[in-house]
Amino acid sequence: MKLLAVKVECSHELEDGLSFFMQDELDAQGIESRKRSDFIAEGQKHDSSLVELDDIENLPKDLELTAYFDYESADKKDLIKKIMDKIAEMKSYGLDTGEVSISTKEVADEDWNTAWQKYYHVIDFSRHLAIVPEWEDYHPAFSDQKLIHLDPGLAFGTGGHTTTQLVLLAMERALVKPMSVLDVGTGSGILAIAASKLGASHVLGTDISDEAVTAAKENIALNDVDNIDVRKANLLKDIDDKYDLIVANILADILLELIPDLDSHLNKEGKVIFSGIDYLQLPKIEKSLAENGFEIKMKMQEGRWIGLLIARKPD
């Protein structure tokens, strides 16, 4: 079965009315909505979310609504006319329509629950680690390579972003013996799982998002590990214990909130790994670390992103 996709680009003020019209009056089988403001808002959340607008393909100027119709029974010209007439009607009510454009294309009626899987494949990250979607049958070249199994459909981090990979590199450097690890803003749980696979003695993953905590627990269940706990917490404010290694892959402004609490949660000779730092924001991170008694032991950069391995200044 084929579908006719009708994509409408317009102002977000039309979203509710136009969605209802296309489903209720035009019998659309489904509606897909992409709104620019949602991506911007996600990047401003104080949780594990990390959204780089430049990385998002074909980000709409404002709103993009795509309605799907049965291809055999749909009259493309009639649908476009009715949608344009509806937009004109909504404009007469005083709504801002924005720059309106309508396009159509023929698409295959896929299994939408699994179609996205074609975008996620094994990340053969290093000699020691590979990140494997749960449906992939992956056989590592080295028998002792550790595999991190993930369900990318849960989102919150799949291992493909540069900031995550910088943490993994630093973690391979830092975890030279069994250590207790705190993963702040755990998201999908990928860094907590990596720490466990690399030999951590115990790992605690925290996140302010209930959805991220759920996703992390489900991903941990896919892996043969039993030394990871996950719970909801706001940075270090709800944490009582001290750790040998604290990991945080969060936006720089949130890392600045974290820095003053590091010392009281870090064991003697403990280390810290930061990532999620845009190179333009590095100076204020360096300044805050120095003011709070820390120094940078290793600095990594890929593109515009910075990762840091941090320790206390010597006495």
PDB file of all heavy atoms in Angstrom, residues 192-227:
ATOM      1  N   ALA A 192      26.859   5.240  31.946  1.00  0.00           N
ATOM      2  CA  ALA A 192      26.831   4.377  33.126  1.00  0.00           C
ATOM      3  C   ALA A 192      27.137   2.933  32.731  1.00  0.00           C
ATOM      4  O   ALA A 192      27.910   2.235  33.399  1.00  0.00           O
ATOM      5  CB  ALA A 192      25.468   4.474  33.814  1.00  0.00           C
ATOM      6  N   ILE A 193      26.545   2.487  31.634  1.00  0.00           N
ATOM      7  CA  ILE A 193      26.786   1.126  31.151  1.00  0.00           C
ATOM      8  C   ILE A 193      28.243   0.970  30.726  1.00  0.00           C
ATOM      9  O   ILE A 193      28.897  -0.034  31.039  1.00  0.00           O
ATOM     10  CB  ILE A 193      25.843   0.790  29.984  1.00  0.00           C
ATOM     11  CG1 ILE A 193      24.382   0.819  30.451  1.00  0.00           C
ATOM     12  CG2 ILE A 193      26.179  -0.574  29.388  1.00  0.00           C
ATOM     13  CD1 ILE A 193      23.369   0.807  29.312  1.00  0.00           C
ATOM     14  N   ALA A 194      28.776   1.973  30.025  1.00  0.00           N
ATOM     15  CA  ALA A 194      30.178   1.921  29.595  1.00  0.00           C
ATOM     16  C   ALA A 194      31.103   1.824  30.795  1.00  0.00           C
ATOM     17  O   ALA A 194      32.065   1.053  30.796  1.00  0.00           O
ATOM     18  CB  ALA A 194      30.511   3.148  28.751  1.00  0.00           C
ATOM     19  N   ALA A 195      30.827   2.607  31.844  1.00  0.00           N
ATOM     20  CA  ALA A 195      31.660   2.572  33.044  1.00  0.00           C
ATOM     21  C   ALA A 195      31.655   1.177  33.661  1.00  0.00           C
ATOM     22  O   ALA A 195      32.700   0.642  34.054  1.00  0.00           O
ATOM     23  CB  ALA A 195      31.169   3.604  34.049  1.00  0.00           C
ATOM     24  N   SER A 196      30.480   0.576  33.734  1.00  0.00           N
ATOM     25  CA  SER A 196      30.372  -0.772  34.280  1.00  0.00           C
ATOM     26  C   SER A 196      31.154  -1.771  33.440  1.00  0.00           C
ATOM     27  O   SER A 196      31.905  -2.603  33.960  1.00  0.00           O
ATOM     28  CB  SER A 196      28.897  -1.188  34.358  1.00  0.00           C
ATOM     29  OG  SER A 196      28.764  -2.526  34.778  1.00  0.00           O
ATOM     30  N   LYS A 197      31.013  -1.677  32.123  1.00  0.00           N
ATOM     31  CA  LYS A 197      31.698  -2.610  31.221  1.00  0.00           C
ATOM     32  C   LYS A 197      33.217  -2.443  31.277  1.00  0.00           C
ATOM     33  O   LYS A 197      33.971  -3.397  31.059  1.00  0.00           O
ATOM     34  CB  LYS A 197      31.216  -2.398  29.787  1.00  0.00           C
ATOM     35  CG  LYS A 197      29.725  -2.654  29.571  1.00  0.00           C
ATOM     36  CD  LYS A 197      29.437  -4.070  29.166  1.00  0.00           C
ATOM     37  CE  LYS A 197      27.970  -4.267  28.800  1.00  0.00           C
ATOM     38  NZ  LYS A 197      27.691  -5.612  28.271  1.00  0.00           N
ATOM     39  N   LEU A 198      33.665  -1.207  31.570  1.00  0.00           N
ATOM     40  CA  LEU A 198      35.105  -0.943  31.639  1.00  0.00           C
ATOM     41  C   LEU A 198      35.694  -1.261  33.006  1.00  0.00           C
ATOM     42  O   LEU A 198      36.882  -1.027  33.235  1.00  0.00           O
ATOM     43  CB  LEU A 198      35.382   0.520  31.265  1.00  0.00           C
ATOM     44  CG  LEU A 198      35.186   0.882  29.792  1.00  0.00           C
ATOM     45  CD1 LEU A 198      35.286   2.384  29.582  1.00  0.00           C
ATOM     46  CD2 LEU A 198      36.199   0.149  28.907  1.00  0.00           C
ATOM     47  N   GLY A 199      34.866  -1.761  33.934  1.00  0.00           N
ATOM     48  CA  GLY A 199      35.408  -2.253  35.193  1.00  0.00           C
ATOM     49  C   GLY A 199      35.086  -1.458  36.427  1.00  0.00           C
ATOM     50  O   GLY A 199      35.694  -1.687  37.482  1.00  0.00           O
ATOM     51  N   ALA A 200      34.143  -0.509  36.354  1.00  0.00           N
ATOM     52  CA  ALA A 200      33.761   0.231  37.555  1.00  0.00           C
ATOM     53  C   ALA A 200      33.221  -0.727  38.615  1.00  0.00           C
ATOM     54  O   ALA A 200      32.567  -1.729  38.291  1.00  0.00           O
ATOM     55  CB  ALA A 200      32.708   1.285  37.215  1.00  0.00           C
ATOM     56  N   SER A 201      33.497  -0.416  39.878  1.00  0.00           N
ATOM     57  CA  SER A 201      33.015  -1.270  40.959  1.00  0.00           C
ATOM     58  C   SER A 201      31.530  -1.059  41.215  1.00  0.00           C
ATOM     59  O   SER A 201      30.793  -2.004  41.513  1.00  0.00           O
ATOM     60  CB  SER A 201      33.803  -0.996  42.239  1.00  0.00           C
ATOM     61  OG  SER A 201      33.738   0.388  42.581  1.00  0.00           O
ATOM     62  N   HIS A 202      31.079   0.175  41.111  1.00  0.00           N
ATOM     63  CA  HIS A 202      29.665   0.510  41.269  1.00  0.00           C
ATOM     64  C   HIS A 202      29.387   1.799  40.526  1.00  0.00           C
ATOM     65  O   HIS A 202      30.235   2.703  40.474  1.00  0.00           O
ATOM     66  CB  HIS A 202      29.284   0.678  42.738  1.00  0.00           C
ATOM     67  CG  HIS A 202      27.849   1.089  42.919  1.00  0.00           C
ATOM     68  ND1 HIS A 202      27.480   2.399  43.155  1.00  0.00           N
ATOM     69  CD2 HIS A 202      26.699   0.372  42.849  1.00  0.00           C
ATOM     70  CE1 HIS A 202      26.159   2.458  43.245  1.00  0.00           C
ATOM     71  NE2 HIS A 202      25.669   1.249  43.063  1.00  0.00           N
ATOM     72  N   VAL A 203      28.194   1.917  39.946  1.00  0.00           N
ATOM     73  CA  VAL A 203      27.824   3.099  39.173  1.00  0.00           C
ATOM     74  C   VAL A 203      26.444   3.583  39.618  1.00  0.00           C
ATOM     75  O   VAL A 203      25.524   2.771  39.772  1.00  0.00           O
ATOM     76  CB  VAL A 203      27.773   2.798  37.652  1.00  0.00           C
ATOM     77  CG1 VAL A 203      27.489   4.084  36.866  1.00  0.00           C
ATOM     78  CG2 VAL A 203      29.065   2.149  37.182  1.00  0.00           C
ATOM     79  N   LEU A 204      26.334   4.884  39.803  1.00  0.00           N
ATOM     80  CA  LEU A 204      25.033   5.512  40.021  1.00  0.00           C
ATOM     81  C   LEU A 204      24.776   6.476  38.874  1.00  0.00           C
ATOM     82  O   LEU A 204      25.588   7.362  38.599  1.00  0.00           O
ATOM     83  CB  LEU A 204      24.987   6.278  41.344  1.00  0.00           C
ATOM     84  CG  LEU A 204      23.716   7.103  41.594  1.00  0.00           C
ATOM     85  CD1 LEU A 204      22.480   6.197  41.696  1.00  0.00           C
ATOM     86  CD2 LEU A 204      23.837   7.962  42.843  1.00  0.00           C
ATOM     87  N   GLY A 205      23.660   6.296  38.174  1.00  0.00           N
ATOM     88  CA  GLY A 205      23.239   7.224  37.133  1.00  0.00           C
ATOM     89  C   GLY A 205      22.073   8.048  37.634  1.00  0.00           C
ATOM     90  O   GLY A 205      21.132   7.508  38.218  1.00  0.00           O
ATOM     91  N   THR A 206      22.134   9.355  37.442  1.00  0.00           N
ATOM     92  CA  THR A 206      21.051  10.228  37.876  1.00  0.00           C
ATOM     93  C   THR A 206      20.586  11.115  36.728  1.00  0.00           C
ATOM     94  O   THR A 206      21.347  11.414  35.817  1.00  0.00           O
ATOM     95  CB  THR A 206      21.491  11.146  39.041  1.00  0.00           C
ATOM     96  OG1 THR A 206      22.471  12.098  38.575  1.00  0.00           O
ATOM     97  CG2 THR A 206      22.084  10.333  40.178  1.00  0.00           C
ATOM     98  N   ASP A 207      19.330  11.525  36.810  1.00  0.00           N
ATOM     99  CA  ASP A 207      18.796  12.453  35.815  1.00  0.00           C
ATOM    100  C   ASP A 207      17.591  13.154  36.427  1.00  0.00           C
ATOM    101  O   ASP A 207      16.868  12.568  37.249  1.00  0.00           O
ATOM    102  CB  ASP A 207      18.381  11.729  34.535  1.00  0.00           C
ATOM    103  CG  ASP A 207      18.446  12.646  33.323  1.00  0.00           C
ATOM    104  OD1 ASP A 207      17.616  13.563  33.244  1.00  0.00           O
ATOM    105  OD2 ASP A 207      19.330  12.454  32.473  1.00  0.00           O
ATOM    106  N   ILE A 208      17.376  14.387  36.020  1.00  0.00           N
ATOM    107  CA  ILE A 208      16.232  15.139  36.516  1.00  0.00           C
ATOM    108  C   ILE A 208      14.951  14.760  35.782  1.00  0.00           C
ATOM    109  O   ILE A 208      13.841  15.044  36.226  1.00  0.00           O
ATOM    110  CB  ILE A 208      16.490  16.659  36.401  1.00  0.00           C
ATOM    111  CG1 ILE A 208      15.513  17.441  37.289  1.00  0.00           C
ATOM    112  CG2 ILE A 208      16.427  17.121  34.951  1.00  0.00           C
ATOM    113  CD1 ILE A 208      15.834  18.917  37.393  1.00  0.00           C
ATOM    114  N   SER A 209      15.092  14.062  34.641  1.00  0.00           N
ATOM    115  CA  SER A 209      13.952  13.683  33.807  1.00  0.00           C
ATOM    116  C   SER A 209      13.462  12.286  34.160  1.00  0.00           C
ATOM    117  O   SER A 209      14.229  11.318  34.138  1.00  0.00           O
ATOM    118  CB  SER A 209      14.358  13.734  32.325  1.00  0.00           C
ATOM    119  OG  SER A 209      13.461  13.005  31.525  1.00  0.00           O
ATOM    120  N   ASP A 210      12.164  12.164  34.480  1.00  0.00           N
ATOM    121  CA  ASP A 210      11.579  10.851  34.756  1.00  0.00           C
ATOM    122  C   ASP A 210      11.699   9.932  33.542  1.00  0.00           C
ATOM    123  O   ASP A 210      11.954   8.728  33.679  1.00  0.00           O
ATOM    124  CB  ASP A 210      10.097  10.995  35.126  1.00  0.00           C
ATOM    125  CG  ASP A 210       9.905  11.638  36.484  1.00  0.00           C
ATOM    126  OD1 ASP A 210      10.654  11.302  37.414  1.00  0.00           O
ATOM    127  OD2 ASP A 210       8.986  12.489  36.623  1.00  0.00           O
ATOM    128  N   GLU A 211      11.502  10.495  32.350  1.00  0.00           N
ATOM    129  CA  GLU A 211      11.565   9.692  31.133  1.00  0.00           C
ATOM    130  C   GLU A 211      12.973   9.152  30.910  1.00  0.00           C
ATOM    131  O   GLU A 211      13.149   8.005  30.467  1.00  0.00           O
ATOM    132  CB  GLU A 211      11.126  10.524  29.924  1.00  0.00           C
ATOM    133  CG  GLU A 211       9.658  10.909  29.918  1.00  0.00           C
ATOM    134  CD  GLU A 211       9.363  12.147  30.761  1.00  0.00           C
ATOM    135  OE1 GLU A 211      10.324  12.716  31.351  1.00  0.00           O
ATOM    136  OE2 GLU A 211       8.193  12.549  30.831  1.00  0.00           O
ATOM    137  N   ALA A 212      13.996   9.968  31.203  1.00  0.00           N
ATOM    138  CA  ALA A 212      15.369   9.510  31.045  1.00  0.00           C
ATOM    139  C   ALA A 212      15.688   8.395  32.032  1.00  0.00           C
ATOM    140  O   ALA A 212      16.360   7.418  31.691  1.00  0.00           O
ATOM    141  CB  ALA A 212      16.338  10.676  31.231  1.00  0.00           C
ATOM    142  N   VAL A 213      15.221   8.523  33.268  1.00  0.00           N
ATOM    143  CA  VAL A 213      15.447   7.470  34.271  1.00  0.00           C
ATOM    144  C   VAL A 213      14.847   6.149  33.790  1.00  0.00           C
ATOM    145  O   VAL A 213      15.473   5.087  33.889  1.00  0.00           O
ATOM    146  CB  VAL A 213      14.850   7.884  35.635  1.00  0.00           C
ATOM    147  CG1 VAL A 213      14.843   6.707  36.599  1.00  0.00           C
ATOM    148  CG2 VAL A 213      15.643   9.045  36.229  1.00  0.00           C
ATOM    149  N   THR A 214      13.642   6.219  33.243  1.00  0.00           N
ATOM    150  CA  THR A 214      12.991   5.008  32.717  1.00  0.00           C
ATOM    151  C   THR A 214      13.790   4.429  31.556  1.00  0.00           C
ATOM    152  O   THR A 214      14.025   3.210  31.484  1.00  0.00           O
ATOM    153  CB  THR A 214      11.563   5.329  32.259  1.00  0.00           C
ATOM    154  OG1 THR A 214      10.801   5.776  33.389  1.00  0.00           O
ATOM    155  CG2 THR A 214      10.889   4.102  31.657  1.00  0.00           C
ATOM    156  N   ALA A 215      14.222   5.287  30.623  1.00  0.00           N
ATOM    157  CA  ALA A 215      14.988   4.820  29.464  1.00  0.00           C
ATOM    158  C   ALA A 215      16.300   4.184  29.902  1.00  0.00           C
ATOM    159  O   ALA A 215      16.704   3.142  29.377  1.00  0.00           O
ATOM    160  CB  ALA A 215      15.249   5.981  28.508  1.00  0.00           C
ATOM    161  N   ALA A 216      16.984   4.803  30.859  1.00  0.00           N
ATOM    162  CA  ALA A 216      18.258   4.266  31.332  1.00  0.00           C
ATOM    163  C   ALA A 216      18.069   2.881  31.943  1.00  0.00           C
ATOM    164  O   ALA A 216      18.848   1.959  31.678  1.00  0.00           O
ATOM    165  CB  ALA A 216      18.888   5.215  32.341  1.00  0.00           C
ATOM    166  N   LYS A 217      17.037   2.727  32.751  1.00  0.00           N
ATOM    167  CA  LYS A 217      16.788   1.423  33.378  1.00  0.00           C
ATOM    168  C   LYS A 217      16.502   0.361  32.326  1.00  0.00           C
ATOM    169  O   LYS A 217      16.966  -0.793  32.450  1.00  0.00           O
ATOM    170  CB  LYS A 217      15.615   1.537  34.358  1.00  0.00           C
ATOM    171  CG  LYS A 217      15.948   2.310  35.630  1.00  0.00           C
ATOM    172  CD  LYS A 217      14.748   2.392  36.563  1.00  0.00           C
ATOM    173  CE  LYS A 217      15.096   3.106  37.858  1.00  0.00           C
ATOM    174  NZ  LYS A 217      13.929   3.226  38.771  1.00  0.00           N
ATOM    175  N   GLU A 218      15.768   0.706  31.292  1.00  0.00           N
ATOM    176  CA  GLU A 218      15.455  -0.268  30.247  1.00  0.00           C
ATOM    177  C   GLU A 218      16.702  -0.641  29.448  1.00  0.00           C
ATOM    178  O   GLU A 218      16.891  -1.812  29.078  1.00  0.00           O
ATOM    179  CB  GLU A 218      14.364   0.292  29.330  1.00  0.00           C
ATOM    180  CG  GLU A 218      13.017   0.438  30.041  1.00  0.00           C
ATOM    181  CD  GLU A 218      11.904   0.894  29.108  1.00  0.00           C
ATOM    182  OE1 GLU A 218      12.071   0.776  27.884  1.00  0.00           O
ATOM    183  OE2 GLU A 218      10.877   1.370  29.618  1.00  0.00           O
ATOM    184  N   ASN A 219      17.580   0.342  29.196  1.00  0.00           N
ATOM    185  CA  ASN A 219      18.818   0.028  28.477  1.00  0.00           C
ATOM    186  C   ASN A 219      19.765  -0.792  29.340  1.00  0.00           C
ATOM    187  O   ASN A 219      20.438  -1.708  28.843  1.00  0.00           O
ATOM    188  CB  ASN A 219      19.504   1.317  28.013  1.00  0.00           C
ATOM    189  CG  ASN A 219      18.913   1.860  26.725  1.00  0.00           C
ATOM    190  OD1 ASN A 219      18.571   1.100  25.824  1.00  0.00           O
ATOM    191  ND2 ASN A 219      18.774   3.166  26.640  1.00  0.00           N
ATOM    192  N   ILE A 220      19.831  -0.492  30.617  1.00  0.00           N
ATOM    193  CA  ILE A 220      20.687  -1.270  31.518  1.00  0.00           C
ATOM    194  C   ILE A 220      20.241  -2.724  31.531  1.00  0.00           C
ATOM    195  O   ILE A 220      21.068  -3.651  31.575  1.00  0.00           O
ATOM    196  CB  ILE A 220      20.657  -0.654  32.932  1.00  0.00           C
ATOM    197  CG1 ILE A 220      21.404   0.692  32.918  1.00  0.00           C
ATOM    198  CG2 ILE A 220      21.271  -1.598  33.960  1.00  0.00           C
ATOM    199  CD1 ILE A 220      21.158   1.538  34.142  1.00  0.00           C
ATOM    200  N   ALA A 221      18.927  -2.935  31.468  1.00  0.00           N
ATOM    201  CA  ALA A 221      18.390  -4.303  31.474  1.00  0.00           C
ATOM    202  C   ALA A 221      18.816  -5.096  30.242  1.00  0.00           C
ATOM    203  O   ALA A 221      18.803  -6.333  30.263  1.00  0.00           O
ATOM    204  CB  ALA A 221      16.867  -4.266  31.579  1.00  0.00           C
ATOM    205  N   LEU A 222      19.194  -4.405  29.157  1.00  0.00           N
ATOM    206  CA  LEU A 222      19.639  -5.087  27.939  1.00  0.00           C
ATOM    207  C   LEU A 222      21.077  -5.594  28.047  1.00  0.00           C
ATOM    208  O   LEU A 222      21.529  -6.350  27.203  1.00  0.00           O
ATOM    209  CB  LEU A 222      19.545  -4.138  26.733  1.00  0.00           C
ATOM    210  CG  LEU A 222      18.159  -3.638  26.337  1.00  0.00           C
ATOM    211  CD1 LEU A 222      18.290  -2.620  25.208  1.00  0.00           C
ATOM    212  CD2 LEU A 222      17.269  -4.793  25.910  1.00  0.00           C
ATOM    213  N   ASN A 223      21.780  -5.140  29.090  1.00  0.00           N
ATOM    214  CA  ASN A 223      23.193  -5.449  29.238  1.00  0.00           C
ATOM    215  C   ASN A 223      23.434  -6.351  30.449  1.00  0.00           C
ATOM    216  O   ASN A 223      22.708  -6.295  31.433  1.00  0.00           O
ATOM    217  CB  ASN A 223      23.992  -4.148  29.381  1.00  0.00           C
ATOM    218  CG  ASN A 223      23.983  -3.324  28.120  1.00  0.00           C
ATOM    219  OD1 ASN A 223      24.849  -3.445  27.271  1.00  0.00           O
ATOM    220  ND2 ASN A 223      22.970  -2.462  27.974  1.00  0.00           N
ATOM    221  N   ASP A 224      24.450  -7.149  30.361  1.00  0.00           N
ATOM    222  CA  ASP A 224      24.751  -8.109  31.423  1.00  0.00           C
ATOM    223  C   ASP A 224      25.541  -7.422  32.535  1.00  0.00           C
ATOM    224  O   ASP A 224      26.732  -7.683  32.743  1.00  0.00           O
ATOM    225  CB  ASP A 224      25.547  -9.283  30.839  1.00  0.00           C
ATOM    226  CG  ASP A 224      25.752 -10.390  31.856  1.00  0.00           C
ATOM    227  OD1 ASP A 224      24.966 -10.454  32.820  1.00  0.00           O
ATOM    228  OD2 ASP A 224      26.696 -11.188  31.674  1.00  0.00           O
ATOM    229  N   VAL A 225      24.893  -6.504  33.241  1.00  0.00           N
ATOM    230  CA  VAL A 225      25.524  -5.778  34.345  1.00  0.00           C
ATOM    231  C   VAL A 225      24.570  -5.758  35.539  1.00  0.00           C
ATOM    232  O   VAL A 225      23.351  -5.727  35.373  1.00  0.00           O
ATOM    233  CB  VAL A 225      25.891  -4.330  33.943  1.00  0.00           C
ATOM    234  CG1 VAL A 225      26.983  -4.328  32.880  1.00  0.00           C
ATOM    235  CG2 VAL A 225      24.676  -3.570  33.421  1.00  0.00           C
ATOM    236  N   ASP A 226      25.145  -5.781  36.739  1.00  0.00           N
ATOM    237  CA  ASP A 226      24.311  -5.778  37.938  1.00  0.00           C
ATOM    238  C   ASP A 226      24.813  -4.795  38.991  1.00  0.00           C
ATOM    239  O   ASP A 226      24.470  -4.898  40.171  1.00  0.00           O
ATOM    240  CB  ASP A 226      24.234  -7.186  38.537  1.00  0.00           C
ATOM    241  CG  ASP A 226      25.609  -7.748  38.894  1.00  0.00           C
ATOM    242  OD1 ASP A 226      26.611  -7.005  38.766  1.00  0.00           O
ATOM    243  OD2 ASP A 226      25.674  -8.916  39.308  1.00  0.00           O
ATOM    244  N   ASN A 227      25.646  -3.839  38.565  1.00  0.00           N
ATOM    245  CA  ASN A 227      26.222  -2.909  39.535  1.00  0.00           C
ATOM    246  C   ASN A 227      25.878  -1.455  39.230  1.00  0.00           C
ATOM    247  O   ASN A 227      26.622  -0.542  39.581  1.00  0.00           O
ATOM    248  CB  ASN A 227      27.740  -3.083  39.597  1.00  0.00           C
ATOM    249  CG  ASN A 227      28.427  -2.742  38.281  1.00  0.00           C
ATOM    250  OD1 ASN A 227      27.794  -2.714  37.229  1.00  0.00           O
ATOM    251  ND2 ASN A 227      29.725  -2.487  38.329  1.00  0.00           N
TER     252      ASN A 227
END
